[in-house]
């Protein structure tokens, strides 16, 4: 089976399902680690609805959906923060599809999308408990830096030159 990656509207059924799966996983991991419980269902629904991903729509953003064997398997988003800096966000691969190379392909496609938007630098933030993400970014040439935002959940910040 092969991977394909293409831009997709943020409100497509595949994008919406991937956003729900991504948010559920990272939220549950946070609450299980810090409070010993999963995300409250009402909070989950509220936050998924409140974060539509509109910032990932053209002309200043892109949402990419990866398919494995034609089936949606992962996503990544980029959005311009200024004329030369883009942010990488929502990098996610369904658990059953992990370990098949999709995450690295998604990040590579996101880097290309950021270049197409005019960015020459890509930044991101992540949490300490998302060890797989931190390892992926380091392996792909991202350098850990000081904070570039004040997101309450951000604990690690990375950047990479796209030149």
């Amino acid at each position: 089976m092969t991977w394909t990656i293409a831009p997709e509207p943020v409100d497509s059924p595949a994008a919406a399902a991937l956003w729900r799966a991504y948010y559920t996983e990272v939220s549950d991991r946070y609450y299980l680690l810090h409070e010993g419980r999963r995300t409250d269902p009402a909070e989950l629904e509220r936050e998924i609805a409140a974060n539509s991903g509109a910032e990932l729509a053209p002309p200043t953003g892109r949402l990419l959906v990866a398919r494995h064997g034609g089936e949606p398997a992962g996503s990544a988003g980029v959005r311009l923060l200024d004329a030369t800096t883009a942010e990488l966000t929502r990098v996610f691969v369904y658990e059953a599809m992990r370990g098949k190379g999709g995450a690295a392909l998604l990040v590579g496609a996101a880097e290309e999308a950021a270049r197409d938007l005019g960015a020459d630098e890509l930044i991101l933030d992540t949490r300490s408990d998302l060890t797989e993400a931190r390892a992926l970014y380091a392996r792909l040439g991202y350098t850990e830096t000081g904070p570039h935002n004040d997101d309450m959940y951000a604990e690690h910040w990375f950047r990479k030159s796209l030149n």
Side-chain angles (χ1 to χ4, degrees):
M1 300 241 178
T2 60
W3 288 96
T4 58
I5 299 172
E8 184 135 354
V10 297
D11 60 352
S12 76
L18 285 157
W19 168 232
R20 173 175 290 282
Y22 166 86
Y23 191 86
T24 300
E25 181 174 328
V26 297
S27 183
D28 280 353
R29 283 177 70 161
Y30 178 86
Y31 281 117
L32 285 168
L33 178 65
H34 296 285
E35 298 182 14
R37 65 172 179 88
R38 295 194 180 281
T39 310
D40 175 73
E43 176 188 354
L44 187 66
E45 294 306 317
R46 184 178 63 249
E47 292 302 316
I48 288 170
N51 294 289
S52 69
E55 71 280 6
L56 303 177
T60 58
R62 297 288 182 280
L63 178 69
L64 304 170
V65 170
R67 287 180 166 74
H68 188 264
E71 293 298 317
S75 62
V78 294
R79 68 181 179 130
L80 280 177
L81 298 178
D82 60 38
T84 61
T85 307
E87 179 182 33
L88 176 63
T89 186
R90 294 191 187 191
V91 177
F92 175 75
V93 175
Y94 283 129
E95 186 174 3
M97 303 296 356
R98 294 178 189 162
K100 300 176 188 269
L105 292 172
L106 269 165
V107 172
E111 290 170 0
E112 192 59 39
R115 281 186 202 94
D116 291 346
L117 292 170
D120 59 22
E121 182 174 55
L122 198 53
I123 63 174
L124 64 96
D125 65 69
T126 191
R127 297 191 325 236
S128 292
D129 64 306
L130 301 176
T131 56
E132 309 92 335
R134 291 188 0 252
L136 172 71
Y137 301 133
R139 184 169 45 98
L140 296 177
Y142 287 77
T143 303
E144 192 158 359
T145 65
H148 59 257
N149 64 24
D150 60 359
D151 183 310
M152 69 181 277
Y153 297 108
E155 297 170 312
H156 298 270
W157 296 263
F158 290 84
R159 64 181 60 238
K160 182 178 182 179
S161 172
L162 299 177
N163 293 327

